[in-house]
Amino acid sequence: MGYDVDRFVSSVNDGLLCCICRDVLEDPLQSPCEHAYCRSCIQGWLVHEQVCPEDRQSLLESQLKPLFRYMRNDLNNLRIRCLNRDNGCEFTTELENLARHESACEFGTLNCPNKNCPVVMERRELDIHLVSCEYTTKQCPKGCGLTILSSDHDSHNCVGELRTELELLRSEMICKLEDQRHESKLRLDSQRTHMVQKISGMQQNVDELRGQLSNLQHEVRLLNAMERKRRQDMERMELEKKELIELLQAIRLENETAKSTCRQCKRNERITSI
């Protein structure tokens, strides 16, 4: 949401108004189509819509960019009244200085800084309130070192309070030890489970490797048997080859002998005829 238009000393140009809430721009961003919005307004819009609320063009948060410098300067130079005007603050300042003023404005409201104190007051009343605040604490002046409420000063019993404090510390230590023991047990159980799963996985891998090794050994035995058979077949084939060669040589020899004998016979027949 932006700044209420009524807080500004003079009229504000429409170009410096948020297109969604129609208040003066706060932490402004600008779309590619040059429409300006308060950061919180446009981010809330883009959660449900992905278009510019003015011209319905497609718009993503990543496309938003800072306001033009001249518009930023015009915005920062606008004079605005303090948010605490209704409480009596008449201060006016440029918009760029507003946060610094309001963080220290004497008319601004704040909670009492003392723990458990429900009082809400103006900043200028804080010092007066702290003087009488029943939740104001201080260190025990009797030497026990405990921090006590001012209202409990008279009834404060150092020994009793220290015993109570000791019991609280003992209880806290016991709780912490129990928590640590429980956490350690959970961590050990988790590690044990993880180790069991890891060992189981490794055992499964070993079993698979053993199965693969057994298959490989079987295949090697088959290959060795095939190799022996191949060698035996080769030796047999070599013997057969040798026998065939010897047979061929014998046949050739017989053939040559027969031819020689036939030629001799024909020669003899020729001589006899003469």
Short mmCIF file of all heavy atoms in Angstrom, two decimals, residues 192-252:
data_model
loop_
_atom_site.label_atom_id
_atom_site.label_comp_id
_atom_site.label_asym_id
_atom_site.label_seq_id
_atom_site.Cartn_x
_atom_site.Cartn_y
_atom_site.Cartn_z
N ARG A 192 23.14 -46.98 11.87
CA ARG A 192 23.10 -48.44 11.86
C ARG A 192 22.24 -48.94 10.69
O ARG A 192 22.63 -49.87 9.97
CB ARG A 192 22.54 -48.95 13.18
CG ARG A 192 22.63 -50.47 13.33
CD ARG A 192 22.07 -50.93 14.65
NE ARG A 192 22.81 -50.39 15.79
CZ ARG A 192 22.34 -49.48 16.63
NH1 ARG A 192 21.13 -48.98 16.46
NH2 ARG A 192 23.08 -49.05 17.63
N THR A 193 21.09 -48.30 10.52
CA THR A 193 20.22 -48.68 9.41
C THR A 193 20.91 -48.46 8.08
O THR A 193 20.84 -49.29 7.17
CB THR A 193 18.91 -47.85 9.47
OG1 THR A 193 18.25 -48.08 10.72
CG2 THR A 193 17.98 -48.25 8.32
N HIS A 194 21.60 -47.31 7.99
CA HIS A 194 22.31 -47.00 6.75
C HIS A 194 23.40 -48.04 6.49
O HIS A 194 23.57 -48.50 5.34
CB HIS A 194 22.93 -45.60 6.85
CG HIS A 194 23.76 -45.23 5.67
ND1 HIS A 194 23.24 -44.97 4.42
CD2 HIS A 194 25.11 -45.07 5.54
CE1 HIS A 194 24.20 -44.69 3.59
NE2 HIS A 194 25.35 -44.73 4.24
N MET A 195 24.14 -48.42 7.55
CA MET A 195 25.21 -49.40 7.39
C MET A 195 24.64 -50.77 7.00
O MET A 195 25.20 -51.47 6.15
CB MET A 195 26.01 -49.53 8.69
CG MET A 195 26.88 -48.31 9.00
SD MET A 195 28.10 -47.99 7.71
CE MET A 195 29.10 -49.47 7.82
N VAL A 196 23.51 -51.16 7.64
CA VAL A 196 22.88 -52.44 7.30
C VAL A 196 22.46 -52.43 5.83
O VAL A 196 22.67 -53.41 5.10
CB VAL A 196 21.67 -52.71 8.22
CG1 VAL A 196 20.86 -53.89 7.70
CG2 VAL A 196 22.14 -52.98 9.65
N GLN A 197 21.84 -51.32 5.41
CA GLN A 197 21.43 -51.22 4.01
C GLN A 197 22.64 -51.26 3.08
O GLN A 197 22.61 -51.90 2.02
CB GLN A 197 20.64 -49.93 3.79
CG GLN A 197 19.29 -49.92 4.49
CD GLN A 197 18.59 -48.58 4.37
OE1 GLN A 197 19.20 -47.58 3.97
NE2 GLN A 197 17.32 -48.54 4.71
N LYS A 198 23.71 -50.58 3.49
CA LYS A 198 24.91 -50.56 2.67
C LYS A 198 25.55 -51.95 2.58
O LYS A 198 25.95 -52.39 1.50
CB LYS A 198 25.91 -49.56 3.26
CG LYS A 198 27.09 -49.25 2.36
CD LYS A 198 27.92 -48.11 2.91
CE LYS A 198 29.07 -47.78 1.97
NZ LYS A 198 29.88 -46.65 2.50
N ILE A 199 25.61 -52.65 3.75
CA ILE A 199 26.18 -54.00 3.76
C ILE A 199 25.32 -54.93 2.93
O ILE A 199 25.83 -55.78 2.18
CB ILE A 199 26.30 -54.51 5.21
CG1 ILE A 199 27.38 -53.71 5.96
CG2 ILE A 199 26.62 -55.99 5.24
CD1 ILE A 199 27.44 -53.99 7.43
N SER A 200 23.98 -54.77 3.05
CA SER A 200 23.08 -55.61 2.27
C SER A 200 23.28 -55.37 0.77
O SER A 200 23.32 -56.32 -0.02
CB SER A 200 21.63 -55.30 2.66
OG SER A 200 20.72 -56.03 1.85
N GLY A 201 23.44 -54.08 0.43
CA GLY A 201 23.69 -53.77 -0.97
C GLY A 201 25.01 -54.34 -1.46
O GLY A 201 25.10 -54.87 -2.58
N MET A 202 26.04 -54.23 -0.60
CA MET A 202 27.35 -54.78 -0.98
C MET A 202 27.29 -56.30 -1.10
O MET A 202 27.88 -56.88 -2.02
CB MET A 202 28.40 -54.38 0.07
CG MET A 202 28.70 -52.89 0.09
SD MET A 202 29.82 -52.42 1.43
CE MET A 202 31.31 -53.26 0.90
N GLN A 203 26.53 -56.97 -0.17
CA GLN A 203 26.38 -58.42 -0.25
C GLN A 203 25.66 -58.83 -1.52
O GLN A 203 26.03 -59.82 -2.18
CB GLN A 203 25.60 -58.92 0.98
CG GLN A 203 25.49 -60.44 1.06
CD GLN A 203 26.84 -61.10 1.19
OE1 GLN A 203 27.65 -60.69 2.02
NE2 GLN A 203 27.09 -62.13 0.41
N GLN A 204 24.67 -58.03 -1.88
CA GLN A 204 23.95 -58.30 -3.13
C GLN A 204 24.88 -58.16 -4.33
O GLN A 204 24.84 -58.98 -5.26
CB GLN A 204 22.76 -57.34 -3.26
CG GLN A 204 21.87 -57.61 -4.47
CD GLN A 204 20.67 -56.69 -4.50
OE1 GLN A 204 20.46 -55.90 -3.60
NE2 GLN A 204 19.89 -56.81 -5.55
N ASN A 205 25.73 -57.12 -4.28
CA ASN A 205 26.69 -56.94 -5.37
C ASN A 205 27.68 -58.11 -5.42
O ASN A 205 28.04 -58.58 -6.52
CB ASN A 205 27.46 -55.62 -5.17
CG ASN A 205 26.58 -54.41 -5.39
OD1 ASN A 205 25.57 -54.50 -6.08
ND2 ASN A 205 26.95 -53.28 -4.81
N VAL A 206 28.13 -58.58 -4.23
CA VAL A 206 29.06 -59.71 -4.18
C VAL A 206 28.40 -60.96 -4.77
O VAL A 206 29.01 -61.70 -5.55
CB VAL A 206 29.52 -59.97 -2.73
CG1 VAL A 206 30.25 -61.31 -2.63
CG2 VAL A 206 30.42 -58.84 -2.25
N ASP A 207 27.13 -61.18 -4.39
CA ASP A 207 26.41 -62.35 -4.92
C ASP A 207 26.27 -62.26 -6.44
O ASP A 207 26.43 -63.27 -7.15
CB ASP A 207 25.03 -62.45 -4.28
CG ASP A 207 25.10 -62.78 -2.80
OD1 ASP A 207 26.16 -63.29 -2.36
OD2 ASP A 207 24.12 -62.53 -2.07
N GLU A 208 25.98 -61.05 -6.92
CA GLU A 208 25.87 -60.86 -8.37
C GLU A 208 27.21 -61.12 -9.05
O GLU A 208 27.28 -61.78 -10.10
CB GLU A 208 25.38 -59.45 -8.69
CG GLU A 208 23.92 -59.20 -8.29
CD GLU A 208 23.50 -57.78 -8.56
OE1 GLU A 208 24.37 -56.97 -9.00
OE2 GLU A 208 22.32 -57.44 -8.33
N LEU A 209 28.30 -60.63 -8.44
CA LEU A 209 29.63 -60.85 -9.01
C LEU A 209 30.00 -62.33 -8.99
O LEU A 209 30.62 -62.84 -9.94
CB LEU A 209 30.67 -60.03 -8.24
CG LEU A 209 30.61 -58.51 -8.43
CD1 LEU A 209 31.55 -57.81 -7.48
CD2 LEU A 209 30.93 -58.13 -9.87
N ARG A 210 29.61 -63.02 -7.90
CA ARG A 210 29.87 -64.44 -7.84
C ARG A 210 29.12 -65.18 -8.95
O ARG A 210 29.66 -66.10 -9.59
CB ARG A 210 29.45 -65.00 -6.49
CG ARG A 210 30.43 -64.66 -5.36
CD ARG A 210 29.91 -65.16 -4.03
NE ARG A 210 30.87 -64.91 -2.95
CZ ARG A 210 30.60 -65.07 -1.66
NH1 ARG A 210 29.39 -65.48 -1.28
NH2 ARG A 210 31.53 -64.82 -0.74
N GLY A 211 27.86 -64.78 -9.16
CA GLY A 211 27.08 -65.40 -10.24
C GLY A 211 27.72 -65.14 -11.59
O GLY A 211 27.82 -66.05 -12.44
N GLN A 212 28.18 -63.89 -11.80
CA GLN A 212 28.84 -63.56 -13.06
C GLN A 212 30.14 -64.35 -13.22
O GLN A 212 30.46 -64.84 -14.32
CB GLN A 212 29.12 -62.06 -13.12
CG GLN A 212 27.86 -61.19 -13.18
CD GLN A 212 28.18 -59.70 -13.12
OE1 GLN A 212 29.34 -59.31 -13.15
NE2 GLN A 212 27.14 -58.89 -13.05
N LEU A 213 30.90 -64.50 -12.09
CA LEU A 213 32.14 -65.27 -12.14
C LEU A 213 31.87 -66.73 -12.47
O LEU A 213 32.59 -67.34 -13.29
CB LEU A 213 32.85 -65.16 -10.80
CG LEU A 213 34.17 -65.94 -10.65
CD1 LEU A 213 35.18 -65.46 -11.69
CD2 LEU A 213 34.74 -65.80 -9.25
N SER A 214 30.81 -67.28 -11.88
CA SER A 214 30.46 -68.67 -12.16
C SER A 214 30.09 -68.84 -13.64
O SER A 214 30.51 -69.82 -14.28
CB SER A 214 29.29 -69.09 -11.27
OG SER A 214 28.88 -70.41 -11.57
N ASN A 215 29.33 -67.87 -14.16
CA ASN A 215 28.96 -67.94 -15.59
C ASN A 215 30.20 -67.85 -16.48
O ASN A 215 30.32 -68.57 -17.47
CB ASN A 215 27.99 -66.82 -15.93
CG ASN A 215 26.63 -67.01 -15.27
OD1 ASN A 215 26.25 -68.14 -14.96
ND2 ASN A 215 25.91 -65.92 -15.05
N LEU A 216 31.12 -66.93 -16.07
CA LEU A 216 32.34 -66.79 -16.85
C LEU A 216 33.18 -68.08 -16.81
O LEU A 216 33.74 -68.50 -17.83
CB LEU A 216 33.17 -65.61 -16.33
CG LEU A 216 32.64 -64.21 -16.66
CD1 LEU A 216 33.45 -63.16 -15.93
CD2 LEU A 216 32.67 -63.96 -18.16
N GLN A 217 33.26 -68.69 -15.63
CA GLN A 217 34.03 -69.94 -15.52
C GLN A 217 33.41 -71.04 -16.38
O GLN A 217 34.12 -71.82 -17.04
CB GLN A 217 34.08 -70.38 -14.06
CG GLN A 217 34.97 -69.49 -13.19
CD GLN A 217 34.89 -69.87 -11.72
OE1 GLN A 217 33.93 -70.50 -11.27
NE2 GLN A 217 35.91 -69.46 -10.95
N HIS A 218 32.07 -71.11 -16.37
CA HIS A 218 31.39 -72.10 -17.20
C HIS A 218 31.67 -71.85 -18.68
O HIS A 218 31.96 -72.78 -19.44
CB HIS A 218 29.89 -72.04 -16.92
CG HIS A 218 29.08 -72.98 -17.75
ND1 HIS A 218 29.17 -74.36 -17.64
CD2 HIS A 218 28.17 -72.75 -18.75
CE1 HIS A 218 28.35 -74.93 -18.50
NE2 HIS A 218 27.74 -73.97 -19.19
N GLU A 219 31.61 -70.56 -19.08
CA GLU A 219 31.89 -70.22 -20.47
C GLU A 219 33.33 -70.55 -20.85
O GLU A 219 33.61 -71.01 -21.96
CB GLU A 219 31.60 -68.73 -20.71
CG GLU A 219 30.11 -68.37 -20.62
CD GLU A 219 29.89 -66.89 -20.80
OE1 GLU A 219 30.89 -66.16 -20.99
OE2 GLU A 219 28.72 -66.46 -20.75
N VAL A 220 34.26 -70.30 -19.88
CA VAL A 220 35.68 -70.62 -20.15
C VAL A 220 35.85 -72.13 -20.34
O VAL A 220 36.59 -72.57 -21.23
CB VAL A 220 36.56 -70.11 -19.00
CG1 VAL A 220 37.97 -70.68 -19.10
CG2 VAL A 220 36.62 -68.59 -19.01
N ARG A 221 35.17 -72.92 -19.48
CA ARG A 221 35.26 -74.37 -19.64
C ARG A 221 34.72 -74.82 -20.99
O ARG A 221 35.30 -75.68 -21.65
CB ARG A 221 34.50 -75.06 -18.50
CG ARG A 221 35.22 -75.01 -17.15
CD ARG A 221 34.62 -75.98 -16.16
NE ARG A 221 33.25 -75.59 -15.81
CZ ARG A 221 32.93 -74.80 -14.80
NH1 ARG A 221 33.90 -74.27 -14.04
NH2 ARG A 221 31.69 -74.51 -14.53
N LEU A 222 33.60 -74.21 -21.40
CA LEU A 222 33.04 -74.55 -22.72
C LEU A 222 34.02 -74.19 -23.83
O LEU A 222 34.22 -74.95 -24.78
CB LEU A 222 31.71 -73.83 -22.92
CG LEU A 222 30.53 -74.32 -22.07
CD1 LEU A 222 29.31 -73.45 -22.32
CD2 LEU A 222 30.20 -75.78 -22.39
N LEU A 223 34.62 -72.99 -23.69
CA LEU A 223 35.57 -72.55 -24.72
C LEU A 223 36.79 -73.47 -24.76
O LEU A 223 37.32 -73.79 -25.84
CB LEU A 223 36.00 -71.10 -24.45
CG LEU A 223 34.93 -70.03 -24.70
CD1 LEU A 223 35.42 -68.67 -24.22
CD2 LEU A 223 34.57 -69.96 -26.19
N ASN A 224 37.26 -73.88 -23.56
CA ASN A 224 38.42 -74.80 -23.52
C ASN A 224 38.08 -76.14 -24.18
O ASN A 224 38.89 -76.71 -24.92
CB ASN A 224 38.86 -75.03 -22.08
CG ASN A 224 39.54 -73.80 -21.49
OD1 ASN A 224 40.08 -72.99 -22.24
ND2 ASN A 224 39.52 -73.66 -20.18
N ALA A 225 36.85 -76.63 -23.89
CA ALA A 225 36.43 -77.89 -24.51
C ALA A 225 36.34 -77.75 -26.02
O ALA A 225 36.76 -78.64 -26.78
CB ALA A 225 35.09 -78.33 -23.92
N MET A 226 35.79 -76.62 -26.44
CA MET A 226 35.67 -76.38 -27.88
C MET A 226 37.06 -76.27 -28.51
O MET A 226 37.29 -76.75 -29.62
CB MET A 226 34.86 -75.11 -28.13
CG MET A 226 33.38 -75.23 -27.75
SD MET A 226 32.50 -73.65 -27.85
CE MET A 226 32.61 -73.35 -29.61
N GLU A 227 38.00 -75.65 -27.78
CA GLU A 227 39.35 -75.50 -28.31
C GLU A 227 40.03 -76.87 -28.42
O GLU A 227 40.73 -77.16 -29.40
CB GLU A 227 40.16 -74.59 -27.39
CG GLU A 227 41.60 -74.38 -27.80
CD GLU A 227 41.73 -73.68 -29.13
OE1 GLU A 227 40.75 -73.06 -29.59
OE2 GLU A 227 42.82 -73.74 -29.74
N ARG A 228 39.83 -77.72 -27.38
CA ARG A 228 40.41 -79.06 -27.46
C ARG A 228 39.83 -79.84 -28.63
O ARG A 228 40.54 -80.52 -29.37
CB ARG A 228 40.15 -79.81 -26.15
CG ARG A 228 41.04 -79.36 -25.00
CD ARG A 228 40.98 -80.35 -23.85
NE ARG A 228 39.64 -80.46 -23.30
CZ ARG A 228 39.15 -79.71 -22.34
NH1 ARG A 228 39.91 -78.75 -21.80
NH2 ARG A 228 37.93 -79.89 -21.89
N LYS A 229 38.52 -79.77 -28.80
CA LYS A 229 37.87 -80.46 -29.93
C LYS A 229 38.39 -79.93 -31.26
O LYS A 229 38.64 -80.67 -32.21
CB LYS A 229 36.36 -80.30 -29.84
CG LYS A 229 35.58 -81.14 -30.85
CD LYS A 229 34.10 -81.02 -30.60
CE LYS A 229 33.33 -81.90 -31.58
NZ LYS A 229 33.61 -81.63 -32.97
N ARG A 230 38.58 -78.61 -31.31
CA ARG A 230 39.08 -78.01 -32.55
C ARG A 230 40.47 -78.53 -32.87
O ARG A 230 40.80 -78.87 -34.02
CB ARG A 230 39.09 -76.47 -32.43
CG ARG A 230 39.47 -75.75 -33.72
CD ARG A 230 39.64 -74.28 -33.47
NE ARG A 230 40.81 -74.03 -32.63
CZ ARG A 230 42.05 -73.99 -33.10
NH1 ARG A 230 42.30 -74.19 -34.40
NH2 ARG A 230 43.06 -73.75 -32.28
N ARG A 231 41.29 -78.60 -31.80
CA ARG A 231 42.66 -79.10 -32.02
C ARG A 231 42.64 -80.57 -32.47
O ARG A 231 43.40 -80.97 -33.36
CB ARG A 231 43.47 -78.96 -30.74
CG ARG A 231 43.83 -77.52 -30.39
CD ARG A 231 44.59 -77.46 -29.09
NE ARG A 231 44.93 -76.08 -28.75
CZ ARG A 231 45.53 -75.73 -27.61
NH1 ARG A 231 45.85 -76.67 -26.72
NH2 ARG A 231 45.80 -74.46 -27.38
N GLN A 232 41.77 -81.36 -31.82
CA GLN A 232 41.66 -82.76 -32.22
C GLN A 232 41.20 -82.89 -33.68
O GLN A 232 41.72 -83.70 -34.45
CB GLN A 232 40.69 -83.50 -31.29
CG GLN A 232 41.21 -83.66 -29.87
CD GLN A 232 40.16 -84.22 -28.93
OE1 GLN A 232 39.00 -84.43 -29.33
NE2 GLN A 232 40.57 -84.48 -27.68
N ASP A 233 40.21 -82.06 -34.03
CA ASP A 233 39.73 -82.08 -35.42
C ASP A 233 40.83 -81.66 -36.38
O ASP A 233 40.97 -82.25 -37.48
CB ASP A 233 38.51 -81.15 -35.56
CG ASP A 233 37.29 -81.67 -34.83
OD1 ASP A 233 37.27 -82.87 -34.52
OD2 ASP A 233 36.36 -80.87 -34.57
N MET A 234 41.61 -80.65 -35.97
CA MET A 234 42.70 -80.20 -36.83
C MET A 234 43.75 -81.30 -37.00
O MET A 234 44.27 -81.54 -38.11
CB MET A 234 43.36 -78.95 -36.23
CG MET A 234 42.49 -77.69 -36.32
SD MET A 234 42.22 -77.16 -38.02
CE MET A 234 43.87 -76.67 -38.47
N GLU A 235 44.08 -81.98 -35.88
CA GLU A 235 45.05 -83.07 -35.97
C GLU A 235 44.55 -84.19 -36.87
O GLU A 235 45.28 -84.77 -37.68
CB GLU A 235 45.34 -83.60 -34.57
CG GLU A 235 46.13 -82.62 -33.70
CD GLU A 235 46.30 -83.12 -32.29
OE1 GLU A 235 45.75 -84.21 -31.98
OE2 GLU A 235 46.97 -82.43 -31.48
N ARG A 236 43.25 -84.53 -36.71
CA ARG A 236 42.67 -85.57 -37.55
C ARG A 236 42.69 -85.17 -39.02
O ARG A 236 43.01 -85.97 -39.91
CB ARG A 236 41.25 -85.87 -37.09
CG ARG A 236 40.61 -87.09 -37.81
CD ARG A 236 39.23 -87.41 -37.30
NE ARG A 236 38.29 -86.34 -37.61
CZ ARG A 236 37.84 -85.48 -36.71
NH1 ARG A 236 38.25 -85.56 -35.46
NH2 ARG A 236 36.99 -84.54 -37.05
N MET A 237 42.34 -83.91 -39.25
CA MET A 237 42.33 -83.42 -40.62
C MET A 237 43.74 -83.41 -41.20
O MET A 237 43.95 -83.70 -42.39
CB MET A 237 41.71 -82.01 -40.67
CG MET A 237 40.21 -81.99 -40.37
SD MET A 237 39.55 -80.33 -40.26
CE MET A 237 39.77 -79.78 -41.94
N GLU A 238 44.73 -83.09 -40.35
CA GLU A 238 46.12 -83.12 -40.83
C GLU A 238 46.54 -84.54 -41.21
O GLU A 238 47.21 -84.77 -42.23
CB GLU A 238 47.06 -82.57 -39.75
CG GLU A 238 47.02 -81.07 -39.57
CD GLU A 238 47.54 -80.34 -40.78
OE1 GLU A 238 48.43 -80.90 -41.49
OE2 GLU A 238 47.07 -79.21 -41.04
N LEU A 239 46.14 -85.52 -40.38
CA LEU A 239 46.44 -86.91 -40.69
C LEU A 239 45.76 -87.34 -41.99
O LEU A 239 46.37 -88.01 -42.85
CB LEU A 239 46.00 -87.82 -39.53
CG LEU A 239 46.83 -87.73 -38.25
CD1 LEU A 239 46.19 -88.56 -37.13
CD2 LEU A 239 48.27 -88.20 -38.50
N GLU A 240 44.50 -86.96 -42.10
CA GLU A 240 43.77 -87.32 -43.32
C GLU A 240 44.40 -86.66 -44.54
O GLU A 240 44.51 -87.26 -45.62
CB GLU A 240 42.30 -86.91 -43.18
CG GLU A 240 41.54 -87.74 -42.16
CD GLU A 240 40.11 -87.25 -42.00
OE1 GLU A 240 39.75 -86.22 -42.63
OE2 GLU A 240 39.34 -87.90 -41.26
N LYS A 241 44.82 -85.42 -44.34
CA LYS A 241 45.46 -84.70 -45.44
C LYS A 241 46.76 -85.40 -45.85
O LYS A 241 47.05 -85.59 -47.04
CB LYS A 241 45.74 -83.26 -45.00
CG LYS A 241 46.46 -82.43 -46.05
CD LYS A 241 46.71 -81.03 -45.52
CE LYS A 241 47.50 -80.22 -46.52
NZ LYS A 241 47.81 -78.87 -46.01
N LYS A 242 47.51 -85.80 -44.80
CA LYS A 242 48.78 -86.49 -45.08
C LYS A 242 48.55 -87.80 -45.82
O LYS A 242 49.24 -88.15 -46.79
CB LYS A 242 49.52 -86.72 -43.76
CG LYS A 242 50.89 -87.33 -43.92
CD LYS A 242 51.57 -87.46 -42.57
CE LYS A 242 52.97 -88.06 -42.74
NZ LYS A 242 53.66 -88.21 -41.44
N GLU A 243 47.53 -88.56 -45.35
CA GLU A 243 47.20 -89.83 -46.00
C GLU A 243 46.75 -89.61 -47.44
O GLU A 243 47.12 -90.38 -48.35
CB GLU A 243 46.10 -90.54 -45.20
CG GLU A 243 46.58 -91.06 -43.85
CD GLU A 243 45.45 -91.65 -43.03
OE1 GLU A 243 44.28 -91.58 -43.51
OE2 GLU A 243 45.70 -92.15 -41.93
N LEU A 244 45.94 -88.57 -47.64
CA LEU A 244 45.48 -88.27 -49.00
C LEU A 244 46.65 -87.91 -49.90
O LEU A 244 46.71 -88.32 -51.08
CB LEU A 244 44.44 -87.14 -48.97
CG LEU A 244 43.07 -87.51 -48.43
CD1 LEU A 244 42.20 -86.26 -48.28
CD2 LEU A 244 42.38 -88.53 -49.34
N ILE A 245 47.59 -87.14 -49.37
CA ILE A 245 48.76 -86.75 -50.17
C ILE A 245 49.57 -87.98 -50.54
O ILE A 245 50.01 -88.15 -51.70
CB ILE A 245 49.61 -85.73 -49.40
CG1 ILE A 245 48.86 -84.37 -49.28
CG2 ILE A 245 50.95 -85.52 -50.10
CD1 ILE A 245 49.55 -83.36 -48.42
N GLU A 246 49.77 -88.85 -49.53
CA GLU A 246 50.54 -90.08 -49.81
C GLU A 246 49.81 -90.96 -50.83
O GLU A 246 50.42 -91.55 -51.73
CB GLU A 246 50.74 -90.86 -48.51
CG GLU A 246 51.71 -90.16 -47.54
CD GLU A 246 51.83 -90.91 -46.24
OE1 GLU A 246 51.03 -91.86 -46.02
OE2 GLU A 246 52.67 -90.53 -45.39
N LEU A 247 48.47 -91.00 -50.71
CA LEU A 247 47.68 -91.79 -51.65
C LEU A 247 47.79 -91.22 -53.06
O LEU A 247 47.95 -91.96 -54.05
CB LEU A 247 46.22 -91.84 -51.19
CG LEU A 247 45.25 -92.65 -52.06
CD1 LEU A 247 45.71 -94.11 -52.16
CD2 LEU A 247 43.84 -92.58 -51.50
N LEU A 248 47.72 -89.89 -53.13
CA LEU A 248 47.84 -89.24 -54.44
C LEU A 248 49.21 -89.51 -55.05
O LEU A 248 49.34 -89.75 -56.27
CB LEU A 248 47.60 -87.74 -54.30
CG LEU A 248 46.14 -87.28 -54.12
CD1 LEU A 248 46.08 -85.79 -53.83
CD2 LEU A 248 45.34 -87.59 -55.39
N GLN A 249 50.22 -89.41 -54.20
CA GLN A 249 51.57 -89.68 -54.70
C GLN A 249 51.69 -91.12 -55.20
O GLN A 249 52.31 -91.39 -56.24
CB GLN A 249 52.59 -89.40 -53.59
CG GLN A 249 52.75 -87.93 -53.27
CD GLN A 249 53.70 -87.69 -52.11
OE1 GLN A 249 54.07 -88.64 -51.39
NE2 GLN A 249 54.09 -86.43 -51.95
N ALA A 250 51.08 -92.06 -54.47
CA ALA A 250 51.13 -93.47 -54.89
C ALA A 250 50.39 -93.67 -56.20
O ALA A 250 50.86 -94.39 -57.10
CB ALA A 250 50.53 -94.35 -53.80
N ILE A 251 49.24 -93.02 -56.30
CA ILE A 251 48.45 -93.13 -57.54
C ILE A 251 49.23 -92.56 -58.71
O ILE A 251 49.26 -93.12 -59.81
CB ILE A 251 47.09 -92.44 -57.37
CG1 ILE A 251 46.22 -93.22 -56.38
CG2 ILE A 251 46.37 -92.31 -58.70
CD1 ILE A 251 44.93 -92.53 -56.01
N ARG A 252 49.88 -91.40 -58.49
CA ARG A 252 50.67 -90.79 -59.57
C ARG A 252 51.82 -91.73 -59.99
O ARG A 252 52.11 -91.88 -61.18
CB ARG A 252 51.24 -89.45 -59.09
CG ARG A 252 50.22 -88.33 -59.05
CD ARG A 252 50.84 -87.09 -58.49
NE ARG A 252 49.88 -86.02 -58.37
CZ ARG A 252 50.12 -84.88 -57.72
NH1 ARG A 252 51.30 -84.70 -57.14
NH2 ARG A 252 49.20 -83.96 -57.68
#
